Amino acid sequence: MTPRPHPGPGTSGTPLADLHTHLTAHLDEPARTWLARALDEAAARSGAHGPISAWELRLAEAGRRCGAEHADAVRVLILHAAQAGPDALTRVYHQGTAAERRAVLHALPHLVTGPEALPLVEDALRTNDTRLVAAAVGPYAARHLDAHNWRHAVLKCLFTGVPVDTVADLHQRARADTELARMLDDYAAERTAAGRPVPEDLHRALALTDSKACKASDASEAKES
Amino acid sequence: MRIFDPHIHMTSRTTDDYRAMYTAGVRAVVEPSFWLGQPRTSPASFLDYFDSLLGWEPFRAAQHGIAHHCTIALNPKEANDPRCTPVLDELPRYLVKDRVVAVGEIGYDSMTPAEDTALAAQLQLAADHGLPALVHTPHRDKLAGLRRTLDVVRESALSPEHVLVDHLNETTVKEAKAAGCWLGFSVYPETKMDEERMVAILRDYGPDQVLVNSAADWGRSDPLKTRKVGDLMLAEGFTEDDVDRVLWRNPVAFYGLSGRLDLEVDATDATHEGNSILRGGE
């Protein structure tokens, strides 16, 4: 058995039309047909399977219908077709498998404009499942996560081995963040004291906090939400 | 030797076990939902447990190179507790999930009317969801329990070829086989089956439809018993193909009836860059 790389963490940053084009090109015929029907059902919000709606059933079975490598993108498209708002996304997240939860996190920047879905991001950041942590630090978190929780998210990525490049808008949000710099310095000191290597990603993130590294024209956009 | 443990409660095991299992050849497991040792007092406790079987535990297994699936059900013991039985109403939304490969463990513990009801209802749920069923046979009054189990299976919408009857032994294997069910054996350090008796049963009944599991949990049990049975089979003259059939192909065939087996292991080291389209062409 060859290990299968998990779906790319960038689903949340890809235009939905591009996701659809990619899937159409890569799914086999039965999966393509299944997806078209699932999207129609979701758009019509039609039908039910026992206690759950048809589109939520499609969301649950996306992995076995389209393959695990395509499931994130398929689920994001179904959530979009169903026009899932914060309430539906919260329900689907809490009733979902880890794979469904990851898809909800990827869908947030496409479907929720305000901060209402932040509890889902915070829930994912409390887990130790690196696939959920990676999905949580996408564009939605970059837009809405407060400074304290965002810094802890960056630190958690370093702790759990999630590449810091996964953190959306890292360059912008890290810039001139002296508190993040202090936390990274302290973590590096703790690693060094224990005789453990300091992750290369830590040095990279630390360099981004250097205010001198930023262009003067961008400085006013530095976020301290 | 590639090994699929078709019945093991990894929630109760350590990461050292995962590591040892991988070293021994285990590449896939099915974790049936079951009793936790401490009685549950509400459906919510089941839901957190089911969520763990579909969330944290597969992640933990994948970190050690092992593909994890689960079976979902109200277990026989807690089917007797009216505080727990409302969880039956929650099962349908779990039975549609990817990686749920059977309804189970269901069956009898003390052979009560409440257990009759839960067993019949859950066999029907399996049929409704296109899933096979993992049916536990009772520890006490085992042969009578097996016969009653087979009667309920015959009356159900599920065909015997979609039923794995588990925890069999010398006294129950013959009737389970005659009924056309898949045959599960749990190999334990002191109770249930041991390696020598398991090999003797394989010699008498052949490897067709036979699955061997460790059923390892929080009790005195050993997650490497599958490997030990494989080693003894070879030492006793079985071929590598026989071993592969019992320890890999039979569980793949049985749980494959669900159409939901996915034996590739997701990389969880978080170092994969993702493909360019999913990363927005970056």
Side-chain angles (χ1 to χ4, degrees):
Chain A
M1 286 176 293
T2 317
R4 173 181 56 217
H6 66 77
T11 309
S12 55
T14 306
L16 296 179
D18 292 356
L19 282 186
H20 201 175
T21 305
H22 175 79
L23 286 171
T24 306
H26 289 85
L27 292 179
D28 62 18
E29 184 52 37
R32 248 199 322 269
T33 306
W34 178 89
L35 176 61
R37 193 180 138 209
L39 293 177
D40 286 347
E41 278 176 343
R45 289 174 166 268
S46 64
H49 177 89
I52 65 173
S53 61
W55 71 268
E56 287 177 66
L57 167 65
R58 303 299 165 229
L59 208 64
E61 65 184 10
R64 59 186 182 271
R65 299 294 183 184
C66 298
E69 68 274 31
H70 299 303
D72 275 8
V74 165
R75 289 184 169 121
V76 169
L77 290 179
I78 292 173
L79 288 167
H80 178 258
Q83 297 181 294
D87 288 349
L89 290 166
T90 299
R91 182 182 70 250
V92 165
Y93 179 92
H94 286 304
Q95 295 189 349
T97 62
E100 290 172 88
R101 292 178 187 207
R102 190 174 62 227
V104 169
L105 295 167
H106 283 313
L108 291 180
H110 299 294
L111 296 176
V112 184
T113 51
E116 306 93 293
L118 264 182
L120 305 185
V121 172
E122 290 162 357
D123 180 89
L125 287 172
R126 282 192 294 272
T127 72
N128 271 9
D129 184 332
T130 49
R131 295 173 292 194
L132 286 173
V133 172
V137 293
Y140 187 81
R143 215 178 291 153
H144 297 293
L145 205 58
D146 67 54
H148 177 81
N149 280 318
W150 183 81
R151 291 177 189 127
H152 272 273
V154 173
L155 206 54
K156 183 144 186 177
C157 286
L158 291 169
F159 261 81
T160 56
V162 173
V164 290
D165 284 343
T166 311
V167 180
D169 293 338
L170 178 68
H171 288 66
Q172 289 76 21
R173 286 204 66 169
R175 189 175 298 146
D177 188 336
T178 53
E179 178 63 4
L180 177 62
R182 180 200 62 75
M183 291 164 73
L184 295 174
D185 274 333
D186 283 358
Y187 180 39
E190 191 182 336
R191 297 278 307 179
T192 305
R196 296 183 178 128
V198 176
E200 183 53 36
D201 261 12
L202 188 149
H203 296 300
R204 293 187 48 237
L206 193 56
L208 294 174
T209 63
D210 183 354
S211 59
K212 293 192 290 293
C214 72
K215 295 180 219 156
S217 61
D218 294 342
S220 60
E221 293 169 20
K223 186 160 182 170
E224 178 67 20
S225 56
Chain B
M1 189 183 298
R2 56 179 182 171
I3 298 170
F4 185 137
D5 193 331
H7 182 152
I8 183 166
H9 302 288
M10 292 311 300
T11 303
S12 311
R13 309 300 306 193
T14 65
T15 46
D16 283 352
D17 289 332
Y18 269 125
R19 204 179 278 183
M21 286 160 63
Y22 184 86
T23 302
V26 177
R27 295 293 179 272
V29 296
V30 166
E31 175 156 11
S33 56
F34 84 140
W35 187 55
L36 287 181
Q38 173 72 25
R40 297 177 178 92
T41 59
S42 79
S45 300
F46 283 89
L47 304 189
D48 286 337
Y49 174 64
F50 296 157
D51 288 343
S52 167
L53 297 184
L54 291 163
W56 176 238
E57 205 55 50
F59 174 75
R60 218 162 69 96
Q63 285 181 306
H64 297 88
I66 294 176
H68 182 286
H69 300 80
C70 68
T71 77
I72 295 285
L74 169 62
N75 63 79
K77 198 186 291 271
E78 289 176 312
N80 292 297
D81 188 333
R83 295 172 301 176
C84 297
T85 48
V87 77
L88 287 169
D89 298 331
E90 303 284 344
L91 295 182
R93 71 176 171 87
Y94 283 97
L95 297 180
V96 301
K97 302 294 190 192
D98 287 336
R99 308 189 84 82
V100 173
V101 292
V103 171
E105 299 179 57
I106 52 178
Y108 285 114
D109 180 53
S110 300
M111 289 190 275
T112 64
E115 292 170 25
D116 284 328
T117 303
L119 174 56
Q122 294 186 99
L123 286 170
Q124 184 63 49
L125 279 175
D128 293 344
H129 289 83
L131 290 171
L134 170 60
V135 183
H136 149 117
T137 50
H139 306 301
R140 304 175 303 278
D141 203 8
K142 201 174 194 68
L143 183 57
L146 173 86
R147 288 174 178 158
R148 189 148 149 189
T149 300
L150 295 176
D151 285 344
V152 177
V153 167
R154 281 188 204 97
E155 291 165 11
S156 77
L158 209 59
S159 68
E161 302 81 51
H162 285 73
V163 174
L164 167 57
V165 183
D166 210 351
H167 312 318
L168 294 174
N169 60 24
E170 294 84 351
T171 67
T172 50
V173 56
K174 189 175 177 185
E175 290 183 38
K177 187 177 173 76
C181 296
W182 293 77
L183 312 171
F185 296 87
S186 301
V187 181
Y188 258 34
E190 290 168 11
T191 59
K192 298 191 170 78
M193 294 291 292
D194 62 30
E195 296 93 306
E196 289 77 15
R197 289 164 49 215
M198 188 66 241
V199 170
I201 283 183
L202 282 164
R203 204 178 289 120
D204 290 346
Y205 290 89
D208 278 358
Q209 310 278 105
V210 171
L211 287 75
V212 173
N213 62 71
S214 73
D217 58 12
W218 30 250
R220 190 165 292 183
S221 50
D222 176 359
L224 304 184
K225 281 296 188 189
T226 47
R227 172 68 196 228
K228 290 168 185 170
V229 168
D231 287 341
L232 189 61
M233 284 177 73
L234 293 175
E236 296 285 320
F238 282 91
T239 66
E240 290 191 4
D241 187 69
D242 292 331
V243 173
D244 191 66
R245 186 191 312 191
V246 171
L247 294 184
W248 187 266
R249 299 198 310 266
N250 284 351
V252 167
F254 174 72
Y255 288 117
L257 293 169
S258 69
R260 305 187 199 176
L261 267 189
D262 182 0
L263 296 171
E264 286 186 56
V265 179
D266 286 312
T268 55
D269 59 6
T271 57
H272 181 66
E273 294 296 318
N275 72 38
S276 59
I277 183 80
L278 289 175
R279 290 179 59 79
E282 291 163 15

